Structure formats: structure tokens, C-alpha cells
Amino acid sequence: MFKVKIKPHWEISRDAEQPLDTAVLLTLLTAIQETGSIANAAKQIGSSYRHAWGLLREAEKMFGHPLIQTGRGRGSELLPLAEKLIWADRRIAARLSPTLESLASELEGELSKAVSVQPQVIRLNASHGFAVAALLSQLNEQQVPVELRYRNSADAVAALAREECDLAGFHVPLGEFEEAAVAGYSHWLDKNKHCLIHLAVRNQGLMVAPGNPKHIVSLADLSRDGVLFVNRQPGSGTRMLLELMLSRQGLSPTAIDGFETAEFTHSAIAAFIASGMADVGFGVQTAAERFGLDFIPLIRERYFFAVPISVMKDPLMQQVIGILQSASFRDIVNQLHGYDGKTTGEILSLAKAFKSLH
């Protein structure tokens, strides 16, 4: 099966000048940030010192503003504009990666059809998450053909009911909100047709800037003056969970500044906060850790794949289950901050997983 990779790529231009391709510039700036030296950065990216300096000077000329500061014995450090460019690139990647990965998967299928190669595939629809990404990496490594579509939890389970996918990823909070969350999926899940494979337990909570400068400790703080929130998109499982939690505490979403601002992944939320565009967001601990944010845990939830019982013995599905139940994959899940892989790969009936569906 063909493998397609699509990466975000952006250019900057000013007035009628030739556009500046940011790809090499961003690689160089990141290397300077890591090494503290233009010479070492140039070596790291396989460029000459002269070419690296030329690229920096070209960019500074276009911006009309310096990007780095150098000093005898102090090496080189990035100025705020350069740091903003790096954060912009991380935000672009965090926001677009799920869409581009889904599109790449579609293109793989179309290319296979175009050359009359139509292998059997595992059709995976799931909300974007770190354990899901880890599974995809393992499937690709073991050459298990996958047709991927990232979509919110409700849409994934609805697609399963329409027989449009073989694995539907969705998440359900533990504790007092479980019954209400499960009710939202019960329209599409049939205990006679579907079973569940447990992926992981993970922490959800508030992501805030390092040091928590706004002193945010609970959901009630989201409505304080001067606190800017960034949310997930409508229909996402994380936003539905947040709305349940707010309702239970009698907190109004309309009182939260930024509640209608929507990002499509936990990483995009974290990048938004890390770049200074918001003070707080709601999401998984792993995203906070990867973007250097502080995290205030509020709730734990289980992430499942819903699967048609009729395909459980399919050879490809058995390969997927084998990966999920392997000790090596469980270790990978446990290494994700805020994830627990103790029961990863466990197969459950709907009734066993959720008391409300007995």
C-alpha cells in the first residue's frame, strides 16, 4: 500500500517582494535555540556558516527587525520575533496535522484504486489523541494497512453504526459524568453488534502558562475578569465533557471569555496557550507537558475503540488486537504523560464497560 505524507508549508512576503520560504529558516532558528550558536546550528542542519548567516540577514531585511542576538562569549539567542515564528509553526502543525493525516490516508486509497491495487485495510475513525497516534505509528511500522479519518468521537461512533469504519475511537469520563456521556453515544452503539477494545485511561484538566500566572485552580476561575480561555470545537468529546462539568457546577459558558474560540486538537490548545494567545484551555496532560505548560488535573477518562463483533476474528483486526495487547505497546502508552496503559487491549462488552447499558 502507498504511504503519503503531507506537511504544513508556509511562506511570508512583504509588499511586492519575493516570498520568504520559512521551511529552512525555521529549521535554522530551532537549531540556534537548541545549540545556542549559529555555527553549531548550521552544522546540525547540514549548512555552511556563511549560508546560515545569509539566510538570517535575508529574513531580517524582509522583516525590518533582528531575529537573533549575538555577543562575544555569550553565543546566540533568539529575539522575540524569532520565537514567535517558531511558535507560529508549532501552532500550524498542531492545528493542521490531523486534517493532513486524514487527507494523506484518503490519497493513499485513491492511488491504490488508480493502479488497481485494492488491499484490505483497517478503517479507523477516531478523535485525535496521543495514544491513537502511537497506535498508528505501530501499525505503520508493522505494515498493517490503515485507512485513517480523524473526526470527533460522536462522528466516529456514528460512522461505525453506518458500517463506514472498523474501529471507532471515543472517550468517556470516569465517575459522575459517565452516564451522561455514554447516553450521547448510545444512539449508535448496539450491545448485540458492537464490543469495545480499551485503549487507555488519561487525565483531562486545565492547561495554563508556566508558573500559572493567573492563579487558576478550578473551572470557576474561567469566568474571572482578565482570564482568556481557548476551547475545543463543538461536537468534540472533550468539549462535551467540559460542558457537562460546567453545567454540574452551575457555571455559564457565556461568562467565559473565549469559550467560542475553537481549536481541533489538544496540541493546538496547548500551542495556543504557549504562544501567549490565551491563558487557559481544557485538555489532556500530555499536550500540556509537550508544550511546557502547567497542568491542573480535574478528571480521568477511558478511551475506547468500538468494533463490530463480526470483524473481531478478521486477520487484520487480529493484528491490531495483537499490537494493542502487547507489552511493548502498553509501555509506549505508559510513557505518555497522564496516560495509564494498565488495561490497554482489554476486550469488553458494552454492558461490562458501562453500567447504564445493562
Side-chain angles (χ1 to χ4, degrees), residues 222-224 227-232 239 242 253-263 269 272 277-281:
L222 301 184
S223 59
R224 283 193 350 232
V227 172
L228 183 59
F229 182 71
V230 56
N231 208 352
R232 287 292 301 278
R239 179 154 172 165
L242 174 62
T254 58
I256 299 173
D257 188 12
F259 192 84
E260 296 307 319
T261 304
E263 291 289 338
I269 294 284
F272 205 88
M277 299 179 69
D279 301 306
V280 57

Side-chain angles (χ1 to χ4, degrees), residues 30-352:
T30 301
I32 293 172
Q33 188 179 57
E34 292 172 354
T35 66
S37 158
I38 297 174
N40 289 338
K43 185 177 180 180
Q44 181 173 300
I45 69 171
S47 172
S48 69
Y49 180 77
R50 181 178 180 181
H51 182 264
W53 258 114
L55 183 62
L56 289 168
R57 292 293 172 251
E58 180 185 350
E60 289 177 337
K61 180 180 178 183
M62 189 203 72
F63 285 114
H65 198 283
L67 293 172
I68 62 168
Q69 180 174 286
T70 59
R72 187 180 298 275
R74 296 201 315 268
S76 302
E77 61 182 32
L78 302 187
L79 291 173
L81 175 59
E83 292 178 343
K84 183 66 72 175
L85 289 171
I86 290 175
W87 277 117
D89 192 58
R90 293 190 73 183
R91 279 188 57 229
I92 289 168
R95 178 181 287 182
L96 295 183
S97 289
T99 302
L100 296 180
E101 287 173 33
S102 295
L103 179 57
S105 186
E106 287 181 32
L107 289 175
E108 289 166 3
E110 292 301 317
L111 288 171
S112 294
K113 291 175 185 176
V115 296
S116 300
V117 177
Q118 299 185 48
Q120 185 183 359
V121 297
I122 288 292
R123 298 170 300 166
L124 171 59
N125 283 203
S127 61
H128 189 267
F130 294 96
V132 175
L135 175 62
L136 283 166
S137 177
Q138 290 297 300
L139 292 172
N140 289 330
E141 190 175 301
Q142 298 191 29
Q143 298 185 333
V144 179
V146 181
E147 184 180 287
L148 168 69
R149 185 167 182 184
Y150 278 127
R151 59 203 314 175
N152 68 51
S153 291
D155 286 346
V157 177
L160 183 78
R162 296 191 299 267
E163 299 183 354
E164 294 174 0
C165 66
D166 307 305
L167 288 163
F170 69 104
H171 46 100
V172 175
L174 288 161
E176 61 179 318
F177 302 105
E178 179 182 294
E179 186 173 346
V182 171
Y185 301 120
S186 62
H187 311 293
W188 303 291
L189 294 175
D190 185 333
K191 62 184 179 182
N192 296 314
K193 293 182 179 179
H194 304 127
C195 64
L196 303 175
I197 306 174
H198 190 241
L199 179 61
V201 175
R202 64 185 188 180
N203 293 336
Q204 289 255 44
L206 297 174
M207 295 184 270
V208 297
N212 195 5
K214 294 294 179 76
H215 307 291
I216 295 164
V217 296
S218 70
L219 292 179
D221 293 317
L222 301 184
S223 59
R224 283 193 350 232
D225 289 342
V227 172
L228 183 59
F229 182 71
V230 56
N231 208 352
R232 287 292 301 278
Q233 79 277 21
S236 70
T238 294
R239 179 154 172 165
M240 288 191 289
L241 172 58
L242 174 62
E243 290 171 351
L244 283 172
M245 295 172 71
L246 291 172
S247 176
R248 186 64 56 90
Q249 295 186 34
L251 301 171
S252 173
T254 58
I256 299 173
D257 188 12
F259 192 84
E260 296 307 319
T261 304
E263 291 289 338
F264 285 82
T265 67
H266 296 280
S267 290
I269 294 284
F272 205 88
I273 297 163
S275 60
M277 299 179 69
D279 301 306
V280 57
F282 184 70
V284 298
Q285 184 175 349
T286 319
E289 185 271 336
R290 292 193 178 182
F291 282 84
L293 303 176
D294 286 359
F295 182 77
I296 302 147
L298 296 180
I299 196 165
R300 286 166 71 76
E301 64 180 10
R302 294 181 291 172
Y303 196 111
F304 294 100
F305 291 123
V307 188
I309 296 171
S310 60
V311 304
M312 287 294 286
K313 293 190 181 300
D314 178 90
L316 278 183
M317 186 60 72
Q318 284 294 304
Q319 283 186 262
V320 175
I321 293 171
I323 292 171
L324 286 166
Q325 293 182 339
S326 68
S328 59
F329 184 71
R330 199 168 288 128
D331 288 342
I332 290 171
V333 173
N334 282 324
Q335 288 169 21
L336 297 170
H337 284 256
Y339 275 76
D340 182 349
K342 183 169 57 179
T343 55
T344 295
E346 183 179 354
I347 298 171
L348 302 164
S349 67
L350 289 167
K352 186 175 181 181

